[in-house]
Amino acid sequence: HSHLCWMTTDDIHKLLLAGRLFPRRVVSGLSHRRSIYRCQEGSQALFYSYSRKDDNLAFTSAALMSTAVLEKYMEFIPQPVVSLMSRERNCEDMCINWLAAHLGGDEQEACVIVEDVSILAGPQGRESLLLKNSAARRNACLNFLRDVFPHWPVPRPSSFRVRVERSCG
């Protein structure tokens, strides 16, 4: 199957523990964090970054989220938006993070990054990267979500990260 990620049982356990502590957030490892930023102060235009380390989003191909977040996705995201994201094949992860930020209330943070989790990703998501103008499509998706959900917060960078340590005994 082309959507495989490889993790140790210990790493899966760490994600599950973090997920129990933060049930409304998307939980993932450092290698699957992504960033959103504004090009300039005062601008409404949003941009997506693989290289910045702001932790606004967790790439959902290797993330954990509660079924409650997925149920809210089915409840809150209009079908035409879901159809567009399915057609573009490059936007659903951002929409899930956007929803998590909305569900988070005043915190407006979408994800929790677990520092000591190693996720070896398979080829998932590669088909969307092969689409023409992948970066422009990601940017367009961010701005589309901002326009469709004007009263929802743009996911803020996470204010902390989690490190799960094993106890002795």
Side-chain angles (χ1 to χ4, degrees):
H1 192 270
S2 65
H3 295 282
L4 295 177
C5 292
W6 295 273
M7 290 184 244
T8 66
T9 304
D10 197 39
D11 285 341
I12 293 169
H13 186 246
K14 291 174 186 178
L15 290 177
L16 287 169
L17 288 173
R20 286 189 66 184
L21 290 171
F22 304 98
R24 285 185 256 155
R25 301 229 187 135
V26 180
V27 179
S28 193
L30 278 173
S31 62
H32 284 76
R33 65 186 171 174
R34 301 295 185 262
S35 299
I36 301 170
Y37 66 98
R38 284 190 165 79
C39 184
Q40 56 189 342
E41 193 65 35
S43 170
Q44 290 300 310
L46 299 174
F47 296 89
Y48 178 85
S49 174
Y50 292 93
S51 58
R52 290 173 64 124
K53 309 296 184 209
D54 296 333
D55 300 357
N56 300 75
L57 307 170
F59 198 47
T60 57
S61 65
L64 181 109
M65 66 204 82
S66 72
T67 53
V69 170
L70 296 175
E71 288 168 353
K72 293 293 183 187
Y73 181 87
M74 297 301 292
E75 180 182 338
F76 289 155
I77 308 301
Q79 187 56 49
V81 173
V82 173
S83 296
L84 176 77
M85 288 184 294
S86 295
R87 187 173 60 251
E88 289 298 314
R89 295 179 11 202
N90 206 4
C91 203
E92 67 285 341
D93 60 325
M94 288 187 270
C95 189
I96 288 171
N97 280 271
W98 214 277
L99 173 63
H102 171 66
L103 296 174
D106 290 342
E107 295 171 359
Q108 301 177 355
E109 296 176 9
C111 63
V112 169
I113 302 300
V114 182
E115 287 187 335
D116 52 342
V117 168
S118 176
I119 302 169
L120 301 174
Q124 77 284 350
R126 301 289 186 255
E127 65 276 356
S128 60
L129 291 174
L130 296 175
L131 294 173
K132 202 172 204 175
N133 299 321
S134 177
R137 286 170 178 257
R138 299 291 277 175
N139 293 337
C141 178
L142 284 175
N143 291 290
F144 170 74
L145 290 170
R146 185 205 57 224
D147 292 344
V148 170
F149 303 110
H151 302 295
W152 289 14
V154 174
R156 283 190 357 199
S158 187
S159 57
F160 61 91
R161 292 189 187 148
V162 173
R163 178 172 290 278
V164 179
E165 297 183 10
R166 296 186 67 90
S167 61
C168 298

